[in-house]
Amino acid sequence: MAQIVGHNPSSVHAPAGGYSMGLELSQHRRLLFVSGQVPENTDGSVPEGFEAQCEQAWRNVIAVLAAAGLGVTHLVKVTTFLTDLDQVVANRAVRRKMLGGHEPALTVVIAETVDSKWLLEIEAIAAE
C-alpha cells in the first residue's frame, strides 16, 4: 500500500481550498492516470449548470478509479480545467464534497474546453 504524506511548509502560503502543496508517495505498487473527464452522462447528455456538471465530472473520475479498484483517497494529483474564473468557489465546494476531506495536490486552470457545452474537465493521478 502506498504511503502518502502531505507537505505544507510554513514558508509557503497555506493552501486555500482543500488541497496539499505537495504529496510524497513512497512504497506504491501502481499508478493510475485518469484522462480528462468531462461532464457527460453515460447517454452523452450534459447536465444543466456548473455545479451539476462538476458533480458529473467527479462521478466520472470516481467511476474510473473504481474500475481500477481504487477510491478518492488514492488520488495524489488533480488538475481541473474551468471555463470561467467565476466557477472557482463552486468548484472548490463540489470537490470538497466529492473527496470527503481527502486533499490531493491540486491545480486549477482557466481554459477553453473542446466542446463548449462542457464547463469543466478534470484529470487525475491516483496511486496505491
Side-chain angles (χ1 to χ4, degrees):
M1 185 69 154
Q3 293 181 347
I4 302 171
V5 178
H7 295 284
N8 293 303
S10 59
S11 59
V12 176
H13 187 272
Y19 63 94
S20 295
M21 295 302 265
L23 286 181
E24 180 180 356
L25 181 64
S26 63
Q27 301 179 358
H28 66 282
R29 296 184 319 172
R30 59 192 182 127
L31 293 173
L32 173 68
F33 295 85
V34 180
S35 293
Q37 297 299 301
V38 297
E40 287 192 358
N41 295 302
T42 55
D43 65 1
S45 64
V46 176
E48 289 290 324
F50 178 77
E51 288 185 27
Q53 286 197 23
C54 192
E55 289 176 0
Q56 183 59 50
W58 273 112
R59 282 192 292 274
N60 295 345
V61 168
I62 291 167
V64 175
L65 293 170
L70 303 173
V72 296
T73 59
H74 293 98
L75 289 171
V76 294
K77 176 71 169 99
V78 174
T79 303
T80 304
F81 301 92
L82 303 176
T83 56
D84 192 313
L85 189 58
D86 291 337
Q87 300 162 336
V88 169
V89 173
N91 173 66
R92 183 180 302 151
V94 172
R95 183 183 67 246
R96 284 181 169 171
K97 178 176 81 172
M98 300 301 278
L99 296 185
H102 180 62
E103 298 182 343
L106 178 71
T107 300
V108 177
V109 179
I110 307 301
E112 185 175 352
T113 56
V114 172
D115 190 324
S116 62
K117 67 184 172 190
W118 303 330
L119 300 178
L120 77 156
E121 186 168 339
I122 303 169
E123 66 178 24
I125 301 171
E128 177 183 48

